Amino acid sequence: MDSPAGTTPPLRIGLLGTGPWARNTQAPALAAHPGVELSGVWGRRAEAADALAAAHGTRAYTGEEGIDALLETSDAVAFALPPDVQAPLAVRAAEAGCHLLMDKPVATTVEGARAVADAAEEAGVASVVFCTLRFAPETSAWIAEQAAVDGWFTARAQWLGSLYAEGSTSEYADSPWRREKGGLWDVGPHALSVLIPVLGDVEHLTAARGPSDTTHLILRHTSGASSTVTLGLSAPPGAAGVEIEFRGERGTASIPGWDGAETAFRGAVDALAEAVRTGVPHACDARFGLHLTELLVAAETQAQAD
C-alpha cells in the first residue's frame, strides 16, 4: 500500500487464529487501528478463516502454504493460538522477518519460549507479549507510578475467574490448553507482569495447590519485598475478581479498573509499532515472555510435587 509523501505507511499485521480471542479482541482491534493494515487472517478451518476475514475486509488463508503466504505479505504477525502452537509458528515468523505480537504465555515449556526469544533476537525483529495490564492505559500508567516509588514492603495479587464454575457458559472454557494448565498459566502472567516491574525480579518462589485449579504463590523479590499470589479459573461467581495491592512506606496502592481487552490490545499494537520504529525492545518482549515461562514452570513443578 502506497502512502503519501512524508507519512508513515501502515504496519501490515497478519492474524494467526480464528477462535474467540481472535474474533472478540484481536481482529476488531487490528482492523480499527489507524496505523495498521490487517493483511490477512489464517485459520486451520477454511470456513472460520473466511468468515473472520470477510467480517474485517481482508483476505483469508489456510493450510501450511497459507502461513507462508501470509508471512510474505505481512510486516508483523499477531497470534491467537494455544501457546505451544504459537511458539513454533513465532519462530517461523521471525525467521521470515516478521515482527511478533504474541499472546501470553509464549509457550508452556522453557525450551519452546527460549526458541522464540532466540529467533527474534537472531532475526532482529521486534516482539511484544500481550500481558493485558501492561498495555491498558489505566493500569499501565498505575504500574509505572508504583515502580517509581521506593519502600514497598509487600504485595498481594489475586486473580480468580469463574470460567469453570458450575453453570459457566463462557466460550473460552472450550480451550483445551486452558483447561489443562489452569489459572497458573492463563492469568499468572498477568499478575507477574505487574509485580515484577514494581518489586523487582523474583529470586525465590514457593508454590502450592489450592481448590480445583487454584495455585498459591509466595515470592521474594530482588528489592527485598515479598508478595503473595492466588490464581484460578474455577472460583464460584461470587468469589471471582481481580485485586492487586502494594503496601509500603507510603501506604497502600490498589490497581484501578481498566476498559476491556480490546483497548489494551490496541496499546500492545502501539508498543510493537514503537519498538519497530525505534529498535528499542519493549519491556514485555519475547525475552520477558521466556522469563515468565521459566517462573511458571518452576511454580507448576513445585505445586505438582506438593
Side-chain angles (χ1 to χ4, degrees), residues 2-302:
D2 294 330
S3 299
T7 65
T8 302
L11 190 65
R12 300 174 301 163
I13 302 182
L15 176 59
L16 291 173
T18 59
W21 185 240
R23 294 196 309 270
N24 298 337
T25 300
Q26 292 188 333
L30 292 169
H33 196 291
V36 168
E37 175 191 341
L38 179 57
S39 51
V41 173
W42 178 89
R44 286 172 289 187
R45 295 186 298 112
E47 61 273 22
D50 288 341
L52 189 57
H56 297 286
T58 190
R59 181 177 176 183
Y61 297 84
T62 194
E64 283 295 308
E65 69 285 352
I67 295 174
D68 292 330
L70 181 57
L71 296 179
E72 288 176 5
T73 60
S74 301
D75 304 310
V77 180
F79 295 85
L81 297 168
D84 293 326
V85 176
Q86 169 180 248
L89 288 178
V91 170
R92 185 169 165 183
E95 291 173 345
C98 290
H99 307 290
L100 308 174
L101 181 49
M102 294 173 286
D103 201 11
K104 53 74 203 165
V106 170
T108 65
T109 66
V110 172
E111 296 77 12
R114 181 175 291 117
V116 175
D118 289 347
E121 289 182 2
E122 290 170 9
V125 299
S127 60
V128 164
V129 179
F130 181 51
C131 296
T132 304
L133 302 182
R134 294 291 289 274
F135 298 101
E138 305 89 344
T139 52
S140 63
W142 180 84
I143 292 167
E145 181 182 346
Q146 309 323 311
V149 173
D150 293 325
W152 293 118
F153 183 71
T154 191
R156 176 181 61 87
Q158 181 170 279
W159 195 306
L160 291 173
S162 56
L163 198 64
Y164 299 123
E166 184 176 354
S168 172
T169 59
S170 172
E171 57 185 339
Y172 294 102
D174 295 332
S175 165
W177 84 265
R178 188 174 280 111
R179 183 173 290 277
E180 176 190 356
K181 304 300 281 187
L184 174 66
W185 284 91
D186 188 29
V187 298
H190 294 312
L192 291 169
S193 76
V194 176
L195 296 172
I196 289 172
V198 177
L199 302 181
D201 201 3
V202 176
E203 61 180 17
H204 186 269
L205 177 154
T206 302
R209 290 179 174 179
S212 191
D213 77 308
T214 305
T215 302
H216 300 283
L217 307 178
I218 302 174
L219 310 176
R220 186 172 68 233
H221 298 265
T222 53
S223 66
S226 64
S227 63
T228 60
V229 186
T230 299
L231 309 162
L233 299 176
S234 304
V242 177
E243 297 178 5
I244 301 178
E245 176 186 82
F246 294 97
R247 289 178 175 266
E249 295 174 357
R250 301 191 186 186
T252 302
S254 298
I255 198 164
W258 63 95
D259 185 26
E262 186 177 336
T263 299
F265 191 74
R266 287 198 296 269
V269 174
D270 292 337
L272 181 67
E274 181 70 5
V276 170
R277 185 183 68 81
T278 64
V280 178
H282 190 272
C284 289
D285 64 358
R287 191 59 60 182
F288 181 70
L290 165 61
H291 188 45
L292 290 179
T293 293
E294 291 172 335
L295 292 172
L296 295 172
V297 167
E300 183 178 62
T301 302
Q302 276 200 33

